Amino acid sequence: MSVSTVKLPAGGTPAEQVLRQMGDLRVHDANWREGRTWSLVYYPGEEIYDFLKKAYTMFMSENGLNLAAFPSLRKFETEVVAMTADMLGGGPEAAGTMTSCGTESIIMAVKTYRDKARAERPEITRPEMILPETAHPAFEKAAHYLDVRPVRIPVGPDFRADVGAVRKAISENTILIVGSAPAYPHGVIDPIGDLAALAAERGIGCHVDSCLGGFLLPFIRKLGYPVPDFDFRVPGVTSISADVHKYGFAAKGASTIIYRDKSLRLHQFYIYTEWSGGIYAHPTMTGTRPGGAIAAAWAIMNHLGEEGYLRLADNIMKTSKKLMEGINSIPGLYILGRPDMSVFAFTSDTMDIYALGDAMDARGWHLDRQQRPPCLHMMVTPAHEKIADQFISDLGECALAVAEKKSAAPGGTAAMYGMMGTLPDRGVIKDFVLNFMDDLMSVK
Ligand SMILES: Cc1ncc(COP(=O)(O)O)c(C=O)c1O
């Protein structure tokens, strides 16, 4: 936060007034309840939402920093991990922890493989991990924080990791191969079997990032949708990240990192024995761990059970199919690749796709912009069932207007994204985004 004129009020404000003010401030927020957003919020409906609030607030003061002090939280966490491991084909040796988000799970996985290599292969002084270009930036962040070199490889025309390129990229220093199930940008699952086989051949780790799909793919497979093997059923897969706060519909702050084998998890833990405050031993990156998030994850998994997740998955997949067919039926628009679940992107060869995004913004829809190739991104949740028809109708009208160049939203993002796409100097973009972030984090 930058220095500002905002100061702690000298006197307090009545609770009612503060809450009213907070409610008022939400007016300009993204309208996820009405299905207007296509990322960030996974809303399963008001009834489940109210239940989650109760479960969260019951434990909002408890701290998962010390599970020995809170046997309730210990039960919640270990059972969330056990249930998730089982859903993902883990055997009796599987073990893991909860973390606060997918990014933290990924950082923990990279730390685990780095520290395992340090312990067992000290000849590796410059560890590397192989990342398909569609892998989530959380891996880059982990690489940056943990001093592991990211080796990016391309994806094929189907947006799945190019296995040949992975094979070529493996070196003496490789400690980890990463695949996604699915990757966020186009919603397709990497060829996990091939990636894991390469990893197993060389005795290195294979992490599957299923932050997005871990709580949906097992259920859509049970519903009869074709889902390629992506989890511990694939020999050679050594760890999986899966987020309960995405398609698990938990409150924010709940992800899991699961290892095929308990011995791997030991490399994740951090222990400091010399502190005057006592021996500090911690399983994850953060210090204090919000009890509410851990409790709400356990609560939602028990409340929904397999039956509830199947019901939601059925709804999500039917809505996704409707939306994808609707988009493909609009002249000039098409879905990229063959998405494996409910996350996908669409583009156009005949119109400025970012201008279409701006036109949809003007109608109150928020679609994330992507690059390489330029496209718009969607992530479908149960909130979208009732607005799917309206969305397709608006998209059709906007596409027509953009194609006929009747819609050019002044001040929209099209010009900025168009310009950024043509800039060969990525440093300029980084500077631009740095300033943008600085501004965003300043009091207004
Ligand atoms: C595939 C994938 N991995 C990791 C993440 C990071 O998750 P989080 O935002 O919870 O840190 C995301 C977020 O959307 C994702 O889609």
Side-chain angles (χ1 to χ4, degrees):
M1 294 283 166
S2 64
V3 179
S4 83
T5 50
V6 178
K7 308 249 185 270
L8 182 69
T13 310
E16 277 308 312
Q17 195 180 323
V18 174
L19 292 175
R20 205 172 331 109
Q21 196 185 345
M22 290 169 75
D24 292 347
L25 284 168
R26 288 184 122 174
V27 173
H28 301 294
D29 287 355
N31 187 354
W32 46 268
R33 255 201 187 82
E34 302 299 322
R36 290 272 159 176
T37 55
W38 301 95
S39 64
L40 302 171
V41 179
Y42 297 73
Y43 175 54
E46 210 55 20
E47 214 174 296
I48 298 176
Y49 178 80
D50 281 341
F51 166 75
L52 267 182
K53 268 205 291 205
K54 285 185 190 135
Y56 191 101
T57 48
M58 259 175 95
F59 284 87
M60 71 177 192
S61 295
E62 277 76 0
N63 190 343
L65 175 62
N66 182 354
L67 291 181
F70 302 107
S72 55
L73 290 187
R74 177 169 182 265
K75 177 179 166 69
F76 298 150
E77 172 160 4
T78 52
E79 291 192 4
V80 165
V81 168
M83 287 188 277
T84 310
D86 181 59
M87 271 166 43
L88 297 173
E93 281 307 304
T97 65
M98 286 187 71
T99 70
S100 61
C101 63
T103 301
E104 191 189 357
S105 291
I106 287 167
I107 294 173
M108 289 296 87
V110 175
K111 176 203 178 298
T112 293
Y113 292 106
R114 186 200 65 175
D115 286 5
K116 179 176 159 63
R118 278 184 182 171
E120 297 171 7
R121 298 179 60 195
E123 72 281 7
I124 298 182
T125 52
R126 197 81 181 89
E128 295 174 0
M129 67 175 151
I130 299 179
L131 301 177
E133 64 183 284
T134 48
H136 196 273
F139 289 97
E140 293 284 345
K141 206 183 213 181
H144 181 72
Y145 290 164
L146 298 167
D147 203 17
V148 172
R149 189 173 154 248
V151 179
R152 285 273 176 185
I153 56 101
V155 294
D158 58 357
F159 301 103
R160 298 175 209 271
D162 176 341
V163 178
V166 173
R167 186 181 291 110
K168 273 196 218 135
I170 296 175
S171 79
E172 302 277 279
N173 294 324
T174 309
I175 59 166
L176 175 64
I177 296 176
V178 169
S180 304
Y184 181 87
H186 317 102
V188 299
I189 300 176
D190 284 324
I192 302 298
D194 295 338
L195 299 179
L198 283 177
E201 241 171 60
R202 282 150 180 92
I204 56 179
C206 174
H207 179 82
V208 175
D209 176 12
S210 202
C211 284
L212 201 46
F215 276 78
L216 189 59
L217 293 172
F219 303 108
I220 70 172
R221 175 190 276 147
K222 284 208 162 129
L223 290 171
Y225 290 90
V227 175
D229 281 346
F230 70 97
D231 57 16
F232 290 119
R233 289 169 189 89
V234 180
V237 168
T238 48
S239 57
I240 303 179
S241 44
D243 290 359
V244 208
H245 68 194
K246 292 195 170 72
Y247 282 111
F249 298 103
K252 290 280 182 289
S255 169
T256 62
I257 166 72
I258 319 273
Y259 300 98
R260 178 183 287 277
D261 196 302
K262 215 179 162 101
S263 63
L264 208 45
R265 184 178 64 173
L266 289 175
H267 295 287
Q268 182 182 305
F269 297 158
Y270 176 80
I271 297 161
Y272 184 64
T273 54
E274 307 310 308
W275 186 36
S276 22
I279 289 176
Y280 182 92
H282 201 61
T284 59
M285 182 99 177
T286 58
T288 286
R289 298 200 299 157
I294 297 170
W298 184 86
I300 193 74
M301 289 178 78
N302 280 283
H303 177 56
L304 288 176
E306 183 169 298
E307 190 202 348
Y309 280 118
L310 284 170
R311 186 168 26 84
L312 290 167
D314 184 47
N315 167 305
I316 290 165
M317 290 306 283
K318 285 182 177 147
T319 307
S320 301
K321 186 167 180 281
K322 183 178 195 171
L323 286 163
M324 284 196 261
E325 286 174 357
I327 291 167
N328 277 331
S329 73
I330 296 172
L333 299 185
Y334 63 94
I335 302 289
L336 285 167
R338 299 191 56 185
D340 284 304
M341 42 175 247
S342 53
V343 176
F344 50 87
F346 63 95
T347 192
S348 173
D349 299 331
T350 55
M351 70 187 86
D352 180 344
I353 199 72
Y354 296 139
L356 179 59
D358 290 347
M360 289 296 278
D361 280 355
R363 291 193 183 207
W365 299 103
H366 183 74
L367 291 156
D368 287 327
R369 277 60 160 175
Q370 298 195 133
Q371 55 182 349
R372 300 175 177 181
C375 56
L376 301 176
H377 188 262
M378 295 174 74
M379 180 273 292
V380 180
T381 72
H384 297 122
E385 182 191 14
K386 57 181 188 302
I387 55 77
D389 289 323
Q390 181 64 49
F391 176 84
I392 293 298
S393 154
D394 280 357
L395 189 67
E397 287 173 20
C398 289
L400 196 63
V402 171
E404 290 174 355
K405 305 223 181 324
K406 286 192 188 138
S407 167
T413 62
M416 183 187 80
Y417 269 87
M419 179 268 292
M420 293 210 305
T422 58
L423 277 180
D425 181 355
R426 307 309 280 176
V428 174
I429 298 179
K430 215 169 164 179
D431 285 347
F432 174 83
V433 177
L434 213 60
N435 285 328
F436 175 79
M437 276 179 74
D438 194 43
D439 185 55
L440 198 64
M441 302 302 290
S442 304
V443 175
K444 284 268 146 74

